[in-house]
Amino acid sequence: MGMAAAVGVLVPFPFYYWIWTKPQSWVDLCGKGRDPSKVMAHVSHLLKLVQLVSLFSVSSLSWPPPLYFWPLLTFGQFLNFRVYQLLGESGTYYGVRFGKNIPWVTEFPFGYIKDPQYVGSIMSLLACLSLVPFQYILLWSLGYIFMIHLESKEYISTRAKIIS
């Protein structure tokens, strides 16, 4: 069960790597007339479900959670919600890589926290330390750190051209 859970936790990161580094192949795969950000959102939600089921399979639920659980989970999810609220689906799901014009946001949390969506996700994971073995939280967090590093470099020349 442990190895399957570890694989499940890591499953989305090769997908994100592929799309970030080769966005044109994703646009081509999505086909004419389909929004690559919307399709990516659907696939990402499915992969997130695989991650959550994997984490749940190795967790031990106990009540009440420790005091640090609620502030970390609440603030982490607030950051994720705020990023989605400010950027929308296209901004959250690599719209810039698909040739969309995404306006830069300076409102909180942008300008205060670098990569707030990943910081929020890591905070939410840390909230679950009492419920999930450390190695799975660490593995998932390392995946987010990898994405922070990957997305820190964006080459305009590798952006996709939308199929019309």
mmCIF file of all heavy atoms in Angstrom, residues 106-114:
data_model
loop_
_atom_site.group_PDB
_atom_site.id
_atom_site.type_symbol
_atom_site.label_atom_id
_atom_site.label_comp_id
_atom_site.label_asym_id
_atom_site.label_seq_id
_atom_site.Cartn_x
_atom_site.Cartn_y
_atom_site.Cartn_z
ATOM 1 N N THR A 106 -1.342 42.167 -8.609
ATOM 2 C CA THR A 106 -0.506 42.682 -7.512
ATOM 3 C C THR A 106 -1.240 42.649 -6.178
ATOM 4 O O THR A 106 -0.667 42.969 -5.161
ATOM 5 C CB THR A 106 -0.065 44.127 -7.807
ATOM 6 O OG1 THR A 106 -1.224 44.931 -8.019
ATOM 7 C CG2 THR A 106 0.843 44.179 -9.026
ATOM 8 N N GLU A 107 -2.516 42.260 -6.185
ATOM 9 C CA GLU A 107 -3.274 42.184 -4.938
ATOM 10 C C GLU A 107 -2.772 41.017 -4.086
ATOM 11 O O GLU A 107 -2.108 40.114 -4.572
ATOM 12 C CB GLU A 107 -4.756 41.987 -5.240
ATOM 13 C CG GLU A 107 -5.377 43.155 -5.984
ATOM 14 C CD GLU A 107 -6.823 42.881 -6.340
ATOM 15 O OE1 GLU A 107 -7.566 42.386 -5.476
ATOM 16 O OE2 GLU A 107 -7.188 43.152 -7.488
ATOM 17 N N PHE A 108 -3.129 41.045 -2.776
ATOM 18 C CA PHE A 108 -2.737 39.949 -1.893
ATOM 19 C C PHE A 108 -3.296 38.642 -2.448
ATOM 20 O O PHE A 108 -4.450 38.615 -2.855
ATOM 21 C CB PHE A 108 -3.281 40.172 -0.478
ATOM 22 C CG PHE A 108 -2.886 39.086 0.466
ATOM 23 C CD1 PHE A 108 -1.626 39.069 1.023
ATOM 24 C CD2 PHE A 108 -3.754 38.044 0.759
ATOM 25 C CE1 PHE A 108 -1.248 38.053 1.875
ATOM 26 C CE2 PHE A 108 -3.372 37.026 1.610
ATOM 27 C CZ PHE A 108 -2.114 37.036 2.170
ATOM 28 N N PRO A 109 -2.541 37.575 -2.496
ATOM 29 C CA PRO A 109 -1.233 37.303 -1.921
ATOM 30 C C PRO A 109 -0.059 37.582 -2.861
ATOM 31 O O PRO A 109 1.075 37.409 -2.470
ATOM 32 C CB PRO A 109 -1.317 35.821 -1.600
ATOM 33 C CG PRO A 109 -2.226 35.270 -2.643
ATOM 34 C CD PRO A 109 -3.197 36.374 -2.965
ATOM 35 N N PHE A 110 -0.332 38.024 -4.107
ATOM 36 C CA PHE A 110 0.765 38.301 -5.036
ATOM 37 C C PHE A 110 1.505 39.547 -4.567
ATOM 38 O O PHE A 110 0.912 40.522 -4.142
ATOM 39 C CB PHE A 110 0.230 38.493 -6.457
ATOM 40 C CG PHE A 110 -0.358 37.256 -7.029
ATOM 41 C CD1 PHE A 110 -1.715 37.038 -7.000
ATOM 42 C CD2 PHE A 110 0.460 36.285 -7.574
ATOM 43 C CE1 PHE A 110 -2.263 35.886 -7.521
ATOM 44 C CE2 PHE A 110 -0.074 35.126 -8.099
ATOM 45 C CZ PHE A 110 -1.436 34.925 -8.064
ATOM 46 N N GLY A 111 2.795 39.531 -4.678
ATOM 47 C CA GLY A 111 3.608 40.643 -4.205
ATOM 48 C C GLY A 111 4.047 40.449 -2.764
ATOM 49 O O GLY A 111 5.007 41.050 -2.318
ATOM 50 N N TYR A 112 3.342 39.615 -2.020
ATOM 51 C CA TYR A 112 3.694 39.329 -0.636
ATOM 52 C C TYR A 112 4.294 37.936 -0.499
ATOM 53 O O TYR A 112 5.202 37.720 0.278
ATOM 54 C CB TYR A 112 2.465 39.436 0.286
ATOM 55 C CG TYR A 112 1.864 40.805 0.297
ATOM 56 C CD1 TYR A 112 0.798 41.117 -0.541
ATOM 57 C CD2 TYR A 112 2.377 41.789 1.124
ATOM 58 C CE1 TYR A 112 0.247 42.382 -0.540
ATOM 59 C CE2 TYR A 112 1.834 43.069 1.127
ATOM 60 C CZ TYR A 112 0.767 43.351 0.287
ATOM 61 O OH TYR A 112 0.230 44.602 0.282
ATOM 62 N N ILE A 113 3.754 37.005 -1.232
ATOM 63 C CA ILE A 113 4.184 35.610 -1.149
ATOM 64 C C ILE A 113 4.508 35.134 -2.563
ATOM 65 O O ILE A 113 3.685 35.258 -3.469
ATOM 66 C CB ILE A 113 3.064 34.719 -0.559
ATOM 67 C CG1 ILE A 113 2.671 35.198 0.830
ATOM 68 C CG2 ILE A 113 3.506 33.264 -0.525
ATOM 69 C CD1 ILE A 113 1.453 34.493 1.392
ATOM 70 N N LYS A 114 5.706 34.599 -2.745
ATOM 71 C CA LYS A 114 6.072 34.042 -4.051
ATOM 72 C C LYS A 114 5.383 32.685 -4.196
ATOM 73 O O LYS A 114 5.394 31.875 -3.286
ATOM 74 C CB LYS A 114 7.593 33.883 -4.135
ATOM 75 C CG LYS A 114 8.075 33.416 -5.488
ATOM 76 C CD LYS A 114 9.590 33.481 -5.544
ATOM 77 C CE LYS A 114 10.167 32.816 -6.741
ATOM 78 N NZ LYS A 114 9.717 33.254 -8.021
#
